[in-house]
C-alpha cells in the first residue's frame, strides 16, 4: 500500500515533467487568419465588425509564419502588400520582436504582430504549452 502512495505523486508529476522538457512541436508553422467574404460590405453598411485580432502572437521556431487569406470580394491592405480576393499572403518572421502593420481589415487600420522567442525547456516550455491549451479553449468558446 505504501508503494502505491509513492506511485501516485509520480504518476501525477510525470505529465508535467514531460510538458516541461519534451521538444515543442506544432503540425505547421503557419498561423492562419482569414478575412471572411462580405467584410467590406458589412463595414460599408455601418457594422463595426472586427474580423482579425488587434494583436497576433507568434513564437519563433513554432508558429512563426503569419498566413492571411482574403475571402472577401475586395482587396485588403496588409502593410505594403495588397491581398487580392481569393489570395493568401505568407509572412515568415525570423526575429523576436513586436511588429506594427497598417491593415485595412481593422476598423483602427492597425494591427500588431508579437513574435516571442522560442521557449526554453523547463518552466518557459510548460507556460507556453499552457497558453496554447488556453488559446484553443477560448477559440472553441468563441465558435
Amino acid at each position: 500500500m505504501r508503494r502505491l502512495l509513492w506511485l501516485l505523486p509520480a504518476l501525477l508529476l510525470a505529465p508535467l515533467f514531460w510538458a516541461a522538457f519534451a521538444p515543442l512541436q506544432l503540425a505547421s508553422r503557419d498561423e492562419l487568419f482569414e478575412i471572411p467574404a462580405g467584410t467590406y460590405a458589412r463595414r460599408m453598411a455601418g457594422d463595426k465588425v472586427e474580423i482579425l485580432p488587434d494583436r497576433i502572437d507568434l513564437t519563433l521556431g513554432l508558429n512563426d509564419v503569419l498566413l492571411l487569406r482574403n475571402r472577401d470580394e475586395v482587396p485588403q491592405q496588409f502593410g505594403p502588400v495588397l491581398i487580392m480576393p481569393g489570395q493568401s499572403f505568407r509572412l515568415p518572421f525570423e526575429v523576436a520582436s513586436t511588429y506594427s502593420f497598417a491593415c485595412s481589415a481593422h476598423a483602427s487600420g492597425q494591427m500588431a504582430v508579437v513574435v516571442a522567442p522560442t521557449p526554453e525547456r523547463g518552466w518557459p516550455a510548460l507556460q507556453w504549452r499552457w497558453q496554447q491549451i488556453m488559446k484553443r479553449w477560448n477559440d472553441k468558446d468563441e465558435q
Side-chain angles (χ1 to χ4, degrees):
M1 188 64 159
R2 279 189 168 180
R3 287 185 184 170
L4 288 176
L5 290 176
W6 282 101
L7 188 59
L8 186 60
L11 290 174
L12 294 174
L13 292 175
L16 286 176
F17 185 81
W18 174 87
F21 293 101
L24 297 170
Q25 296 176 343
L26 293 175
S28 170
R29 292 177 67 166
D30 292 345
E31 190 73 21
L32 173 65
F33 291 90
E34 291 188 328
I35 301 167
T39 298
Y40 179 78
R42 288 176 62 192
R43 283 242 170 86
M44 293 299 104
D47 189 0
K48 295 188 183 208
V49 61
E50 288 295 338
I51 52 154
L52 297 174
D54 290 332
R55 174 182 158 156
I56 294 175
D57 292 298
L58 303 176
T59 305
L60 273 183
L62 298 169
N63 62 333
D64 56 6
V65 179
L66 178 61
L67 176 58
L68 295 171
R69 186 167 292 143
N70 185 7
R71 300 249 186 239
D72 204 1
E73 295 82 21
V74 298
Q76 297 288 341
Q77 185 80 29
F78 182 75
V81 176
L82 188 63
I83 308 170
M84 300 305 288
Q87 285 186 331
S88 296
F89 172 67
R90 294 180 85 237
L91 181 61
F93 292 90
E94 297 178 358
V95 176
S97 186
T98 299
Y99 301 86
S100 295
F101 294 97
C103 181
S104 63
H106 281 86
S108 69
Q110 295 290 314
M111 185 172 81
V113 177
V114 178
V115 182
T118 306
E120 295 183 21
R121 290 183 181 212
W123 183 248
L126 192 59
Q127 286 178 309
W128 185 86
R129 286 184 199 275
W130 179 253
Q131 290 169 351
Q132 296 304 303
I133 290 168
M134 296 311 296
K135 180 180 172 187
R136 278 190 241 123
W137 183 274
N138 290 333
D139 288 347
K140 286 180 184 178
D141 287 346
E142 290 174 7
Q143 292 176 357

